Amino acid sequence: MADERSQQQQGGRNVAAVVFDLGGVLIDWDPRHLYRKIFSDDAEMEHFLTRVFSSDWNEQADGGRPTAEITAELCALHPEKLPLIEAYYDRFPEMMKGAIDGTVSVVERLHEKGLPLFVLSNFSAETFPHARRRFAFFERFSGMVISGEVGMKKPEPRIYDLLTERFGLTRAETLFIDDRRDNAAAAREAGWQALHFTSPDLLADDLTRLGLLD
């Protein structure tokens, strides 16, 4: 259970722990960071990323499906695109441009205040180690739930329950930060508090308003 001494008041509700999403919040992840190196034409790149290797396929990996199965199925459907399809997971680290420094700064400030921090992210179990090795900010987190490792993903209600149960958190005292509105809404439905992330500066403003940052 999160230390009661770290609880902060949020309009009559305590925040005893803060949970962060990764992609789009702490990590600048976008397949275009890779495919702009491969395609010379943006329209062709967008066609590939919406009609061939769309986000729906990567979400299957986030849910636990092996990336080799996804690659094989897509190559069978689009054999003329084989090198482009294989690049998706073979060169996955190139999709991560870097950390979102402003959010990392927020993490550091919360950590300095002794507030327990956690990660809840939709991420393939096979590709997550690339991020885990690369970014030092993971040292600031007390625990993580990665969708591909547990075979469920946001916004499924049970993944929110899993995190609170695994780490002994109280739902009403857990604040979630995600760049997708549906994931934030699902957290609220699970009994959490939630913020929709749009930028590091606005996040810092929101956390200051809630009394979590000075």
Side-chain angles (χ1 to χ4, degrees):
M1 180 67 68
D3 189 333
E4 292 182 358
R5 290 175 300 177
S6 68
Q7 293 179 344
Q8 303 290 331
Q9 195 71 17
Q10 183 189 330
R13 301 179 68 190
N14 286 329
V15 175
V18 180
V19 184
F20 284 81
D21 178 36
L22 291 177
V25 176
L26 276 162
I27 299 172
D28 181 2
W29 177 86
D30 190 328
R32 290 163 184 80
H33 294 323
L34 165 63
Y35 283 100
R36 285 194 182 100
K37 302 175 184 178
I38 297 173
F39 286 93
S40 58
D41 183 274
D42 281 353
E44 291 181 7
M45 177 185 69
E46 292 300 331
H47 181 272
F48 176 78
L49 292 174
T50 55
R51 301 297 181 87
V52 180
F53 211 132
S54 67
S55 60
D56 292 342
W57 291 94
N58 190 55
E59 287 178 7
Q60 293 182 37
D62 289 347
R65 188 179 183 193
T67 60
E69 285 186 9
I70 294 169
T71 300
E73 185 172 346
L74 274 168
C75 287
L77 290 171
H78 307 278
E80 76 285 0
K81 306 288 189 184
L82 188 148
L84 298 172
I85 293 166
E86 290 183 335
Y88 196 99
Y89 290 118
D90 287 348
R91 298 175 62 179
F92 187 90
E94 295 176 61
M95 298 182 186
M96 298 184 292
K97 187 175 183 180
I100 299 175
D101 293 335
T103 314
V104 174
S105 176
V106 168
V107 167
E108 292 292 340
R109 292 168 66 188
L110 292 172
H111 176 73
E112 288 173 3
K113 287 182 170 292
L115 196 65
L117 306 175
F118 299 87
V119 166
L120 175 59
S121 180
N122 286 354
F123 222 119
S124 164
E126 296 175 59
T127 59
F128 176 66
H130 294 299
R132 183 69 182 86
R133 289 190 296 266
R134 179 171 170 183
F135 299 110
F137 62 70
F138 282 108
E139 298 175 3
R140 300 310 190 194
F141 292 96
S142 300
M144 297 182 285
V145 169
I146 302 301
S147 65
E149 297 177 352
V150 298
M152 63 184 84
K153 57 187 176 65
K154 301 172 295 182
E156 297 174 35
R158 55 187 182 144
I159 198 169
Y160 300 90
D161 295 338
L162 174 64
L163 187 140
T164 53
E165 292 165 6
R166 177 176 289 183
F167 300 112
L169 305 180
T170 301
R171 296 180 187 184
E173 297 176 352
T174 301
L175 174 65
F176 183 48
I177 298 162
D178 198 295
D179 64 319
R180 284 183 48 167
R181 290 185 183 276
D182 57 340
N183 292 338
R188 294 189 194 98
E189 290 174 6
W192 295 22
Q193 303 172 52
L195 292 172
H196 174 231
F197 177 89
T198 56
S199 75
D201 288 343
L202 290 176
L203 173 62
D205 289 345
D206 284 340
L207 294 176
T208 300
R209 174 175 53 81
L210 298 176
L212 299 176
L213 292 178
D214 299 328

